[in-house]
């Protein structure tokens, strides 16, 4: 008997009971009858998978929940082109929370990037808003492509002209994706998928970095004042984005997909799994934003980006004048003290002049003594 964390009656953190997917035609037809649908109401690709017995009853429920009534997912699937629509539906079948995860990633990425731009550019954000906007759009686009590329997907009936394309299609989107009919993922395919996704995301990063680098340098060339944030060259920006997405981001999101799948399979309450997934994804975005700046070599100019630092930089001259005035006051005090000893005293300037002229006076007296000695 399995012991649950929430007690005998379950609880918020109760474990999920694993149930196998039912691919029997009777159960799938029962789901269609319950939704008052027939086989002809299904799209071509999904209908072909249904006829081949590759669709389970659980997948049919997920598909009808998306397309049988007006929802945001159905609106998006009907708005996208046919190829992207099939890919979107396949990702929703594999992970019903895919749209939520994608929107969460985009909101966290845009918010973190905007916050960094405003924090470091400060008053210069009004003059450099186009450069900041370029950075935010590039980061948001790259993050969306990474999440889309590594999300688990159910694909059926897709055939291509070349054998290489058919071979790549049979690879999982991430190393932790579960197998399903006609898609058996062994260890070799998962390793191949890791390197294939690294190369794919590296190409995406090179393209995005080259476009963003060229546009940023073009906009920076029209700025008359010095920029508050350094802008890498086009080649440096392209190579930095390529390495960042292909190596670092690929590894982080591969592990994140595995964590999401483990949470969904472990907890029966979907809200608990989404809570842990949300917390980890927000932390992952914060880590990725800091790491991206280091990979690209972006730095903040401390003398340009902050007026407070500029004021602090100009303070030593003011402090020098103040210290000199205090030094003259102390001279007055010394001169007034010498007056008690019978030494002639005057104002501060005359005292200072006497001190500067004292060596010359001593030299004259020494010469006079030598002359008087010779005359005697």
């Amino acid at each position: 008997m399995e012991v649950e964390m929430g007690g005998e009656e379950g609880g918020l953190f109760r474990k999920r009971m694993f149930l196998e997917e039912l691919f029997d035609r009777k159960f799938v037809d029962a789901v269609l009858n319950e939704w008052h649908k027939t086989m002809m109401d299904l799209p071509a690709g999904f209908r072909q998978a249904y006829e081949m017995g590759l669709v389970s009853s659980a997948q049919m429920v997920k598909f009808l929940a998306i397309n049988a009534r007006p929802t945001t997912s159905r609106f998006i699937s009907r708005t996208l082109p046919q190829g992207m629509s099939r890919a979107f539906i396949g990702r929703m079948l594999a992970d019903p929370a895919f749209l939520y995860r994608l929107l969460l990633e985009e909101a966290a990425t845009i918010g973190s990037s905007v916050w960094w731009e405003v924090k470091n550019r400060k008053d210069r954000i009004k003059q450099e808003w186009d450069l900041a906007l370029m950075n935010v759009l590039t980061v948001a686009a790259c993050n969306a492509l990474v999440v889309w590329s590594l999300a688990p997907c159910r694909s059926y009936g897709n055939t291509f002209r070349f054998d290489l394309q058919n071979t790549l299609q049979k690879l999982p989107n991430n190393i932790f994706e579960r197998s399903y009919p006609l898609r058996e993922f062994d260890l070799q395919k998962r390793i191949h998928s890791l390197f294939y996704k690294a190369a794919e995301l590296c190409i995406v990063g090179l393209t995005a970095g080259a476009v963003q680098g060229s546009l940023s340098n073009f906009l920076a060339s029209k700025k008359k004042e010095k920029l508050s944030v350094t802008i890498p060259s086009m080649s440096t920006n392209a190579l930095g984005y390529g390495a960042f997405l292909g190596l670092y981001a690929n590894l982080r999101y591969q592990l994140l997909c595995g964590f999401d799948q483990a949470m969904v399979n472990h907890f029966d309450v979907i809200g608990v799994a989404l809570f842990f997934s949300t917390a980890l994804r927000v932390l992952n975005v914060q880590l990725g934003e800091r790491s991206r700046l280091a990979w690209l070599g972006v730095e903040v100019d401390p003398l340009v980006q902050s007026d407070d630092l500029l004021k602090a930089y100009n303070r030593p001259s003011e402090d020098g004048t103040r210290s000199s005035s205090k030094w003259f006051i102390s001279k007055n005090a010394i001169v007034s003290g010498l007056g008690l000893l019978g030494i002639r005293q005057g104002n501060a300037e005359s005292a200072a002049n006497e001190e500067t002229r004292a060596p010359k006076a001593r030299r004259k007296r020494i010469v006079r003594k030598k002359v008087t000695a010779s005359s005697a």
Side-chain angles (χ1 to χ4, degrees):
M1 182 176 180
E2 186 179 0
V3 180
E4 296 179 350
M5 298 178 62
E8 296 180 357
E9 297 181 356
L12 189 62
F13 296 96
R14 63 179 179 269
K15 293 182 179 180
R16 183 179 183 183
M17 296 180 61
F18 179 75
L19 299 175
E20 296 184 359
E21 292 184 283
L22 302 175
F23 292 88
D24 193 345
R25 188 70 171 269
K26 297 180 181 179
F27 295 101
V28 181
D29 291 339
V31 173
L32 287 174
N33 294 332
E34 184 179 359
W35 285 82
H36 302 284
K37 298 293 181 180
T38 62
M39 181 183 67
M40 301 306 298
D41 296 327
L42 302 176
F46 199 72
R47 182 170 65 248
Q48 182 181 0
Y50 164 79
E51 293 174 350
M52 297 174 61
L54 303 178
V55 179
S56 65
S57 58
Q59 294 175 10
M60 183 62 72
V61 171
K62 295 176 183 177
F63 176 79
L64 294 176
I66 297 173
N67 291 273
R69 53 190 177 184
T71 58
T72 304
S73 301
R74 189 181 75 169
F75 174 77
I76 295 175
S77 63
R78 293 183 177 182
T79 304
L80 295 174
Q82 183 178 2
M84 294 188 64
S85 177
R86 295 179 64 178
F88 175 76
I89 294 175
R91 283 162 172 77
M92 292 296 296
L93 292 177
D95 182 13
F98 166 73
L99 182 60
Y100 165 77
R101 301 184 200 278
L102 179 62
L103 295 178
L104 173 67
E105 286 279 346
E106 287 300 289
T109 301
I110 294 175
S112 177
S113 182
V114 170
W115 177 79
W116 187 90
E117 295 289 344
V118 174
K119 176 185 176 183
N120 291 280
R121 297 184 188 271
K122 293 188 176 181
D123 295 337
R124 291 294 187 91
I125 194 67
K126 297 179 180 179
Q127 292 81 18
E128 302 174 4
W129 65 268
D130 48 355
L131 296 173
L133 180 62
M134 186 66 60
N135 293 336
V136 173
L137 293 179
T138 305
V139 173
C142 291
N143 181 263
L145 291 175
V146 171
V147 176
W148 176 274
S149 177
L150 298 181
C153 180
R154 296 291 178 94
S155 59
Y156 303 101
N158 292 333
T159 56
F160 297 95
R161 180 179 179 181
F162 301 100
D163 295 337
L164 179 60
Q165 292 177 311
N166 294 323
T167 302
L168 295 177
Q169 184 194 5
K170 296 179 181 179
L171 296 178
N173 283 356
N174 60 78
I175 58 177
F176 299 100
E177 187 173 355
R178 294 175 57 185
S179 302
Y180 56 94
L182 295 183
R183 295 291 186 273
E184 294 293 334
F185 304 134
D186 55 4
L187 180 60
Q188 184 179 4
K189 289 184 178 180
R190 296 181 188 277
I191 295 176
H192 290 170
S193 173
L194 178 63
F195 289 101
Y196 169 69
K197 291 298 179 180
E200 182 182 26
L201 293 177
C202 183
I203 295 175
V204 171
L206 286 173
T207 305
V211 174
Q212 192 248 350
S214 59
L215 292 177
S216 297
N217 283 276
F218 174 73
L219 294 175
S221 62
K222 294 187 175 182
K223 304 291 182 182
K224 297 181 180 179
E225 299 180 355
K226 189 177 180 180
L227 299 178
S228 58
V229 178
T230 60
I231 297 181
S233 62
M234 185 186 70
S235 59
T236 303
N237 202 64
L239 294 175
Y241 262 108
F244 174 74
L245 293 184
L247 301 177
Y248 190 67
N250 179 36
L251 182 60
R252 286 191 296 112
Y253 279 91
Q254 291 274 0
L255 298 176
L256 191 59
C257 291
F259 177 82
D260 291 338
Q261 183 177 342
M263 291 294 101
V264 172
N265 295 334
H266 183 76
F267 294 107
D268 188 31
V269 181
I270 189 64
V272 176
L274 289 179
F275 171 78
F276 287 110
S277 176
T278 300
L280 187 61
R281 284 184 178 273
V282 172
L283 294 177
N284 177 62
V285 169
Q286 295 293 330
L287 177 63
E289 180 64 18
R290 294 177 179 270
S291 304
R292 180 186 65 86
L293 300 174
W295 280 72
L296 297 178
V298 177
E299 297 178 352
V300 180
D301 193 338
L303 299 180
V304 178
Q305 59 89 25
S306 177
D307 292 338
D308 296 334
L309 292 177
L310 288 175
K311 293 179 180 178
Y313 180 77
N314 294 327
R315 277 177 191 170
S317 60
E318 299 177 359
D319 295 339
T321 55
R322 292 179 182 177
S323 61
S324 61
S325 62
K326 292 180 181 179
W327 172 248
F328 283 123
I329 294 174
S330 63
K331 282 185 176 181
N332 291 334
I334 294 173
V335 172
S336 63
L338 294 175
L340 298 176
L341 301 177
I343 300 175
R344 185 179 177 182
Q345 59 177 347
N347 53 12
E349 296 179 356
S350 62
N353 293 331
E354 288 179 1
E355 289 182 359
T356 55
R357 295 175 181 176
K360 296 181 180 180
R362 288 177 183 176
R363 289 178 182 178
K364 291 180 180 180
R365 290 177 183 176
I366 292 170
V367 173
R368 287 176 183 178
K369 287 180 181 181
K370 287 182 179 181
V371 172
T372 53
S374 62
S375 61

